[in-house]
Amino acid sequence: MLTNEEERVRIYSMGDVPTRSHEVTPSTPLDELNLNWTEKDLPERERTKHVHRLHPYLGKYIPQLVEVFLRKYFSAGQTIIDPFCGSGTTLVQANELGINAIGYDISAFNVLLSRAKTAEYDVPAVQREILDILDKVKAATQIDSGQRRLWMECTKKPYLSADDNEYLERWFAPQALEELLTYRYYIEAGEYEYADLLQIILCRSARSARLTTHFDLDFPREPVTEPYYCYKHRKTCQPIREAFKFLKRYSNDTIKRITAFAAARTGARVEVYHEDCRTVDFPEAHGVVTSPPYVGLIDYHEQHAYAYHLLGLEDKRAKEIGPAANGKSKNAKEAYQKDIAEVFQRILRTMHPDGRLIVVANDQENLYGEIADSLDVEVENIIQRHVNRRTGRRSTRFYEAIFIWRKL
């Protein structure tokens, strides 16, 4: 049974058996790869297994695609680089296979998320910390309003003020903001070993607790303060007024996901750096597996604005490559090509001979041919795959290319 999108695309009715990522080996021929997985072939629970769904992230590629090329071109003990690590998909999958991974990103939130996903955890200790802070927030906020006011006055907690933060006051109802700021306070006031992970729970809850519609969590434009017709639930829904229910839900979900990944995690090294890769001196590595930002499509800092305001993260949006804010003009495309080529050229300087660059991109603007021409690489192959599962309410046909380049 095919989905509506799969019915529209001929490749799904051709009868080819989709590739099973765990069966790929270095000897698997590229022309035998079928990466056009249907929803039945690769259901959501597998695409978002364990920590891959620790926090929603717009524009990430699926772990099975990464696994295919890690198994094909790399082996345990080697080192790969992802200069645009985003939510950490490459880093997680490399670790599962015993491959050392080094990630870089210009977004402080992406670095925080990638580190939280790939850290080595004492699972019982993680559970204790997550439940401990949740109990503290519950005791402080889930009591009647009179008691809460008395508690706040007696303890004089300044953290319950939004510090005149226009963004937080605009995008969160008073109760939701109080609960989020209380959780933040306990992270800062406590001595939690896994504070990074607690910050991710806070941010994930904040994303869901914003004053926006249920169907526009990816692209909220204006706060919603009145009842609205919800396209997701096909009924009239109310704006979100509280955050604690999300803190509780995502606390339990995080425990499950961290526990699941702990069973798959290896001792392979993972390092994540908050850097502009146009200026980084990269270490030695055997190759690259990455999905660079697409020109003029996403503003990666703005996607997680709530995290920057809640946590006071360093904002380097001015250094994003190809942000949506810069558009798709000729100058924007040329700047994008120059920047992407600079990153790869810097990596190639210290890459092992014959190392591979595996680059996944939606190249609608036909920019990657010229990028490859400017590098010391041989284009071994370009594989096209249809992406039939999109984040948000987008239904246009979408393809991505996997560029396989070998260092000369």
Side-chain angles (χ1 to χ4, degrees), residues 18-85:
T19 297
R20 294 181 176 86
S21 58
H22 63 279
E23 295 179 353
V24 172
T25 70
S27 61
T28 301
L30 287 175
D31 59 8
E32 290 185 8
L33 295 178
N34 176 3
L35 308 178
N36 300 300
W37 295 288
T38 67
E39 182 68 24
K40 182 179 179 180
D41 299 323
L42 200 55
E44 183 180 11
R45 67 177 180 276
E46 294 182 25
R47 304 192 306 271
T48 60
K49 61 180 180 177
H50 51 67
V51 294
H52 287 299
R53 193 59 176 272
L54 207 58
H55 188 291
Y57 188 91
L58 180 63
K60 66 181 178 181
Y61 50 8
I62 61 175
Q64 287 76 17
L65 181 64
V66 176
E67 182 180 5
V68 165
F69 292 99
L70 286 174
R71 289 184 178 275
K72 170 68 179 171
Y73 289 109
F74 305 100
S75 59
Q78 292 187 333
T79 299
I80 58 101
I81 287 174
D82 186 347
F84 309 103
C85 67

XYZ file of all heavy atoms in Angstrom, residues 18-85:
570
model
N 13.801 -2.232 -2.057
C 14.585 -1.166 -1.416
C 15.766 -1.740 -0.634
O 15.703 -2.851 -0.093
C 13.577 -0.494 -0.478
C 12.245 -0.878 -1.002
C 12.411 -2.241 -1.576
N 16.838 -0.992 -0.592
C 18.040 -1.405 0.117
C 17.789 -1.464 1.619
O 17.163 -0.569 2.192
C 19.188 -0.418 -0.168
O 19.495 -0.453 -1.569
C 20.426 -0.753 0.643
N 18.265 -2.507 2.248
C 18.248 -2.600 3.710
C 19.616 -2.104 4.196
O 20.641 -2.736 3.921
C 18.002 -4.034 4.159
C 16.607 -4.561 3.783
C 16.428 -5.993 4.292
N 15.096 -6.496 4.038
C 14.716 -7.085 2.899
N 15.597 -7.231 1.914
N 13.484 -7.514 2.738
N 19.595 -0.983 4.889
C 20.848 -0.306 5.219
C 21.817 -1.201 5.980
O 23.035 -1.136 5.755
C 20.564 0.967 6.019
O 19.845 0.669 7.206
N 21.311 -2.059 6.866
C 22.208 -2.884 7.678
C 22.859 -4.009 6.883
O 23.779 -4.671 7.376
C 21.443 -3.476 8.872
C 20.336 -4.404 8.491
N 19.092 -3.961 8.093
C 20.288 -5.762 8.428
C 18.330 -4.992 7.814
N 19.027 -6.096 7.999
N 22.404 -4.232 5.639
C 22.968 -5.300 4.815
C 24.043 -4.801 3.860
O 24.690 -5.589 3.167
C 21.857 -5.991 4.018
C 20.845 -6.734 4.894
C 19.744 -7.389 4.084
O 19.689 -7.163 2.848
O 18.940 -8.140 4.669
N 24.246 -3.493 3.795
C 25.232 -2.924 2.876
C 26.646 -3.253 3.366
O 26.935 -3.198 4.564
C 25.046 -1.408 2.748
C 26.174 -0.767 1.949
C 23.705 -1.098 2.102
N 27.536 -3.580 2.424
C 28.944 -3.853 2.715
C 29.802 -3.071 1.720
O 29.286 -2.524 0.736
C 29.263 -5.358 2.584
O 29.199 -5.720 1.197
C 28.287 -6.210 3.392
N 31.112 -3.022 1.935
C 31.980 -2.327 0.973
C 31.863 -2.877 -0.448
O 32.150 -2.161 -1.423
C 33.386 -2.558 1.545
C 33.153 -2.681 3.023
C 31.859 -3.434 3.146
N 31.443 -4.107 -0.590
C 31.348 -4.714 -1.924
C 29.980 -4.517 -2.576
O 29.772 -4.936 -3.720
C 31.657 -6.210 -1.838
O 30.721 -6.877 -1.000
N 29.046 -3.884 -1.895
C 27.725 -3.647 -2.481
C 27.851 -2.672 -3.652
O 28.325 -1.550 -3.477
C 26.757 -3.048 -1.443
O 26.626 -3.949 -0.337
C 25.386 -2.796 -2.065
N 27.452 -3.067 -4.875
C 27.562 -2.160 -6.031
C 26.629 -0.954 -5.879
O 25.485 -1.094 -5.430
C 27.122 -3.040 -7.205
C 27.284 -4.448 -6.726
C 26.976 -4.409 -5.265
N 27.117 0.205 -6.261
C 26.295 1.416 -6.160
C 25.040 1.311 -7.011
O 23.973 1.814 -6.632
C 27.111 2.640 -6.590
C 28.198 3.116 -5.624
C 28.981 4.256 -6.246
C 27.583 3.561 -4.303
N 25.150 0.665 -8.176
C 23.984 0.604 -9.066
C 22.905 -0.352 -8.555
O 21.819 -0.436 -9.134
C 24.383 0.242 -10.492
C 25.102 -1.096 -10.598
O 25.162 -1.836 -9.590
O 25.621 -1.401 -11.690
N 23.199 -1.057 -7.471
C 22.183 -1.926 -6.869
C 21.466 -1.266 -5.700
O 20.540 -1.835 -5.129
C 22.824 -3.247 -6.401
C 23.271 -4.148 -7.545
C 23.782 -5.496 -7.068
O 23.642 -5.785 -5.847
O 24.314 -6.255 -7.903
N 21.896 -0.066 -5.335
C 21.250 0.640 -4.231
C 19.907 1.216 -4.683
O 19.818 1.889 -5.706
C 22.140 1.781 -3.720
C 23.468 1.390 -3.070
C 24.228 2.653 -2.675
C 23.244 0.492 -1.858
N 18.881 0.931 -3.912
C 17.561 1.541 -4.117
C 17.217 2.268 -2.830
O 16.827 1.652 -1.836
C 16.510 0.478 -4.445
C 15.110 1.086 -4.562
O 14.921 2.301 -4.452
N 14.116 0.239 -4.790
N 17.377 3.569 -2.846
C 17.224 4.386 -1.651
C 15.868 5.072 -1.581
O 15.655 5.970 -0.765
C 18.347 5.426 -1.591
C 19.764 4.844 -1.746
C 20.797 5.964 -1.721
C 20.054 3.816 -0.665
N 14.939 4.650 -2.433
C 13.591 5.232 -2.455
C 12.667 4.401 -1.564
O 11.826 3.648 -2.030
C 13.062 5.268 -3.896
C 13.957 6.099 -4.795
O 14.152 7.289 -4.569
N 14.519 5.463 -5.806
N 12.860 4.550 -0.266
C 12.081 3.771 0.684
C 10.664 4.306 0.800
O 10.439 5.513 0.930
C 12.739 3.842 2.066
C 14.082 3.199 2.130
C 14.358 1.868 2.097
C 15.351 3.851 2.276
N 15.714 1.638 2.211
C 16.352 2.842 2.323
C 15.733 5.199 2.366
C 17.702 3.138 2.452
C 17.086 5.493 2.497
C 18.049 4.479 2.542
N 9.695 3.405 0.795
C 8.310 3.796 1.056
C 8.084 3.869 2.562
O 8.923 3.428 3.348
C 7.319 2.776 0.466
O 7.458 1.539 1.188
C 7.568 2.538 -1.011
N 6.940 4.391 2.934
C 6.593 4.456 4.351
C 6.532 3.052 4.943
O 6.936 2.832 6.083
C 5.245 5.156 4.526
C 4.810 5.322 5.962
C 5.683 6.300 6.743
O 6.312 7.169 6.121
O 5.741 6.163 7.978
N 6.080 2.090 4.171
C 6.015 0.707 4.641
C 7.413 0.131 4.809
O 7.691 -0.595 5.773
C 5.207 -0.144 3.657
C 5.049 -1.601 4.090
C 4.222 -2.395 3.087
C 4.094 -3.855 3.518
N 3.292 -4.641 2.540
N 8.310 0.448 3.866
C 9.686 -0.052 3.941
C 10.417 0.503 5.156
O 11.199 -0.190 5.803
C 10.480 0.355 2.691
C 9.909 -0.207 1.418
O 9.429 -1.355 1.450
O 9.943 0.503 0.393
N 10.167 1.782 5.446
C 10.932 2.474 6.486
C 9.988 3.362 7.293
O 9.916 4.566 7.098
C 12.023 3.323 5.822
C 13.202 3.755 6.689
C 13.866 2.556 7.339
C 14.202 4.524 5.846
N 9.236 2.759 8.225
C 8.262 3.519 9.013
C 8.934 4.526 9.946
O 10.132 4.441 10.227
C 7.522 2.437 9.805
C 8.487 1.287 9.867
C 9.253 1.327 8.582
N 8.139 5.451 10.425
C 8.665 6.549 11.240
C 9.424 6.056 12.462
O 10.441 6.636 12.846
C 7.534 7.479 11.667
C 8.036 8.680 12.463
C 6.927 9.604 12.882
O 5.749 9.231 12.747
O 7.239 10.704 13.362
N 8.950 5.002 13.102
C 9.606 4.535 14.326
C 11.049 4.119 14.068
O 11.888 4.156 14.980
C 8.817 3.370 14.931
C 8.812 2.097 14.105
C 8.071 0.975 14.788
N 8.061 -0.249 13.990
C 7.192 -0.503 13.028
N 6.245 0.369 12.744
N 7.255 -1.642 12.344
N 11.369 3.715 12.821
C 12.744 3.356 12.485
C 13.546 4.582 12.060
O 14.734 4.682 12.363
C 12.758 2.307 11.365
C 12.160 0.969 11.785
C 12.234 -0.062 10.676
O 13.126 0.072 9.795
O 11.421 -0.986 10.664
N 12.912 5.517 11.369
C 13.605 6.738 10.939
C 13.944 7.630 12.126
O 14.866 8.440 12.059
C 12.738 7.532 9.950
C 12.293 6.754 8.736
C 11.706 7.680 7.697
N 10.646 8.532 8.194
C 9.357 8.215 8.221
N 8.966 7.018 7.810
N 8.456 9.081 8.652
N 13.162 7.492 13.207
C 13.372 8.335 14.392
C 13.761 7.504 15.603
O 13.434 7.855 16.726
C 12.092 9.144 14.688
O 11.010 8.234 14.938
C 11.728 10.044 13.527
N 14.458 6.404 15.362
C 14.827 5.499 16.458
C 15.691 6.220 17.488
O 16.412 7.170 17.185
C 15.560 4.285 15.903
C 16.865 4.625 15.180
C 17.552 3.391 14.649
C 18.847 3.754 13.929
N 19.579 2.570 13.468
N 15.625 5.737 18.686
C 16.319 6.241 19.877
C 16.575 7.747 19.817
O 15.646 8.525 19.666
C 17.583 5.427 20.189
C 18.557 5.214 19.061
N 19.279 6.228 18.489
C 18.936 4.069 18.417
C 20.074 5.744 17.553
N 19.883 4.446 17.483
N 17.827 8.212 19.913
C 18.070 9.651 20.095
C 17.828 10.498 18.851
O 17.878 11.729 18.918
C 19.500 9.903 20.614
C 19.660 9.348 22.015
C 20.553 9.323 19.667
N 17.558 9.885 17.724
C 17.309 10.672 16.519
C 16.063 11.555 16.655
O 15.899 12.517 15.908
C 17.173 9.761 15.296
C 18.471 9.171 14.849
N 19.532 9.949 14.430
C 18.903 7.884 14.782
C 20.549 9.173 14.102
N 20.199 7.914 14.309
N 15.194 11.234 17.598
C 14.003 12.066 17.815
C 14.077 12.762 19.184
O 13.065 13.081 19.774
C 12.731 11.213 17.722
C 11.422 11.982 17.629
C 11.373 12.905 16.417
N 10.083 13.567 16.293
C 9.032 13.064 15.649
N 9.130 11.877 15.069
N 7.908 13.727 15.580
N 15.272 13.001 19.662
C 15.418 13.650 20.962
C 14.862 15.069 20.934
O 14.404 15.589 21.954
C 16.888 13.678 21.365
C 17.209 13.720 22.859
C 16.607 12.527 23.570
C 18.712 13.769 23.074
N 14.911 15.697 19.759
C 14.348 17.037 19.565
C 14.048 17.179 18.081
O 14.867 16.816 17.251
C 15.343 18.109 20.012
C 14.788 19.499 20.026
N 14.468 20.177 18.860
C 14.486 20.341 21.046
C 14.003 21.376 19.172
N 13.992 21.497 20.493
N 12.860 17.697 17.705
C 12.556 17.885 16.276
C 13.584 18.800 15.617
O 14.108 19.725 16.244
C 11.172 18.532 16.302
C 10.577 18.101 17.600
C 11.735 18.072 18.565
N 13.846 18.518 14.335
C 14.840 19.305 13.607
C 14.453 19.337 12.142
O 14.330 18.296 11.497
C 16.231 18.685 13.779
C 17.350 19.531 13.212
C 17.993 20.470 14.006
C 17.751 19.389 11.889
C 19.027 21.249 13.495
C 18.775 20.159 11.365
C 19.411 21.092 12.173
O 20.417 21.872 11.655
N 14.261 20.524 11.623
C 13.834 20.698 10.235
C 15.017 20.545 9.286
O 16.055 21.170 9.469
C 13.217 22.084 10.073
C 12.694 22.458 8.684
C 11.559 21.538 8.282
C 12.250 23.908 8.672
N 14.860 19.691 8.284
C 15.881 19.586 7.249
C 16.917 18.501 7.475
O 17.921 18.450 6.764
N 16.698 17.583 8.417
C 17.700 16.532 8.637
C 17.459 15.356 7.704
O 16.339 15.118 7.247
C 17.667 16.068 10.088
C 16.391 15.367 10.521
C 16.473 14.970 11.987
C 15.194 14.303 12.458
N 15.272 13.935 13.889
N 18.527 14.621 7.393
C 18.356 13.427 6.578
C 18.179 12.215 7.492
O 18.445 12.268 8.689
C 19.474 13.222 5.573
C 20.911 13.295 6.038
C 21.283 13.381 7.372
C 21.933 13.268 5.085
C 22.621 13.433 7.746
C 23.271 13.325 5.452
C 23.603 13.405 6.777
O 24.918 13.453 7.153
N 17.696 11.122 6.907
C 17.335 9.970 7.730
C 18.575 9.127 8.039
O 19.503 9.026 7.229
C 16.258 9.107 7.060
C 16.735 8.560 5.722
C 14.969 9.901 6.892
C 15.753 7.607 5.084
N 18.636 8.511 9.224
C 19.827 7.762 9.625
C 20.144 6.577 8.727
O 21.313 6.214 8.559
C 19.501 7.311 11.050
C 18.011 7.409 11.176
C 17.614 8.550 10.288
N 19.124 5.967 8.130
C 19.386 4.799 7.269
C 20.176 5.199 6.023
O 20.990 4.414 5.527
C 18.052 4.138 6.881
C 17.380 3.380 8.004
C 16.694 4.280 9.021
O 16.443 5.460 8.752
N 16.367 3.735 10.177
N 19.949 6.398 5.512
C 20.716 6.870 4.361
C 22.186 7.032 4.739
O 23.088 6.631 3.996
C 20.144 8.206 3.876
C 20.827 8.830 2.663
C 20.673 7.945 1.443
C 20.249 10.222 2.383
N 22.424 7.593 5.904
C 23.793 7.760 6.397
C 24.446 6.393 6.600
O 25.600 6.169 6.215
C 23.793 8.546 7.720
C 25.210 8.637 8.286
C 23.216 9.942 7.515
N 23.709 5.462 7.180
C 24.251 4.130 7.448
C 24.713 3.435 6.179
O 25.759 2.761 6.163
C 23.206 3.272 8.170
C 23.711 1.892 8.536
C 22.673 1.042 9.249
O 21.511 1.483 9.388
O 23.037 -0.080 9.673
N 23.950 3.588 5.099
C 24.311 2.952 3.839
C 25.725 3.335 3.419
O 26.553 2.471 3.076
C 23.302 3.338 2.732
C 23.853 2.995 1.348
C 21.979 2.631 2.944
N 26.026 4.623 3.470
C 27.317 5.084 2.950
C 28.441 4.953 3.973
O 29.608 4.822 3.585
C 27.172 6.507 2.418
C 26.303 6.541 1.196
C 24.962 6.904 1.283
C 26.798 6.138 -0.027
C 24.150 6.891 0.171
C 25.996 6.118 -1.157
C 24.658 6.490 -1.065
N 28.119 4.950 5.238
C 29.137 4.631 6.233
C 29.589 3.184 6.067
O 30.788 2.875 6.128
C 28.587 4.852 7.643
C 28.419 6.301 8.105
C 27.729 6.339 9.466
C 29.757 7.029 8.175
N 28.649 2.274 5.867
C 28.993 0.859 5.684
C 29.721 0.622 4.354
O 30.608 -0.242 4.269
C 27.736 -0.003 5.745
C 27.125 -0.129 7.142
C 25.935 -1.069 7.134
N 25.361 -1.242 8.461
C 25.784 -2.110 9.375
N 26.823 -2.894 9.075
N 25.204 -2.206 10.556
N 29.347 1.361 3.345
C 29.941 1.181 2.024
C 31.393 1.657 1.973
O 32.255 0.982 1.381
C 29.101 1.934 0.988
C 29.706 2.042 -0.409
C 29.791 0.716 -1.117
C 30.375 0.897 -2.527
N 30.669 -0.409 -3.172
N 31.701 2.787 2.599
C 33.003 3.410 2.379
C 33.923 3.497 3.598
O 35.093 3.854 3.453
C 32.803 4.822 1.829
C 32.285 4.817 0.403
C 30.983 5.209 0.118
C 33.101 4.398 -0.650
C 30.506 5.199 -1.182
C 32.632 4.381 -1.957
C 31.330 4.783 -2.220
O 30.862 4.756 -3.502
N 33.418 3.188 4.785
C 34.240 3.359 5.983
C 34.145 2.124 6.868
O 33.254 1.291 6.705
C 33.801 4.616 6.750
C 33.808 5.849 5.893
C 32.628 6.343 5.341
C 34.999 6.506 5.610
C 32.636 7.466 4.527
C 35.018 7.633 4.803
C 33.833 8.122 4.259
N 35.060 2.044 7.833
C 35.071 0.880 8.721
C 35.378 1.308 10.140
O 35.873 2.423 10.390
C 36.113 -0.146 8.237
O 37.405 0.440 8.197
N 35.094 0.425 11.077
C 35.307 0.711 12.497
C 36.757 1.118 12.742
O 37.687 0.536 12.175
C 34.952 -0.515 13.331
N 36.928 2.138 13.583
C 38.261 2.628 13.905
C 38.711 3.787 13.046
O 39.640 4.514 13.412
N 38.082 3.973 11.882
C 38.404 5.122 11.049
C 37.718 6.376 11.606
O 36.922 6.299 12.545
C 37.984 4.865 9.601
C 38.801 3.787 8.919
C 38.483 3.658 7.439
O 37.386 3.964 6.970
N 39.464 3.176 6.671
N 38.008 7.529 10.995
C 37.448 8.800 11.455
C 36.801 9.537 10.295
O 37.400 9.673 9.220
C 38.545 9.695 12.064
O 39.121 9.038 13.186
C 37.970 11.036 12.506
N 35.569 9.976 10.520
C 34.893 10.784 9.504
C 34.546 12.151 10.099
O 34.466 12.322 11.312
C 33.622 10.091 8.958
C 32.619 9.793 10.077
C 33.983 8.811 8.214
C 31.485 10.752 10.166
N 34.345 13.109 9.194
C 34.011 14.485 9.585
C 32.663 14.855 8.998
O 32.349 14.506 7.858
C 35.091 15.467 9.091
C 36.368 15.314 9.915
C 34.599 16.918 9.145
C 37.534 16.142 9.413
N 31.861 15.560 9.793
C 30.653 16.198 9.291
C 30.770 17.691 9.605
O 30.576 18.102 10.746
C 29.396 15.621 9.939
C 28.115 16.189 9.316
O 28.215 17.189 8.587
O 27.032 15.626 9.557
N 31.101 18.516 8.602
C 31.306 19.945 8.850
C 30.016 20.733 9.025
O 30.054 21.906 9.387
C 32.058 20.403 7.603
C 31.570 19.488 6.530
C 31.363 18.149 7.203
N 28.883 20.088 8.750
C 27.565 20.710 8.944
C 26.711 19.704 9.716
O 25.719 19.188 9.199
C 26.923 21.051 7.595
C 27.820 21.847 6.675
C 28.466 21.236 5.605
C 28.019 23.205 6.880
C 29.284 21.971 4.750
C 28.846 23.945 6.042
C 29.479 23.326 4.969
N 27.080 19.435 10.954
C 26.522 18.257 11.640
C 25.067 18.426 12.045
O 24.390 17.431 12.338
C 27.370 17.873 12.839
S 27.379 19.042 14.207
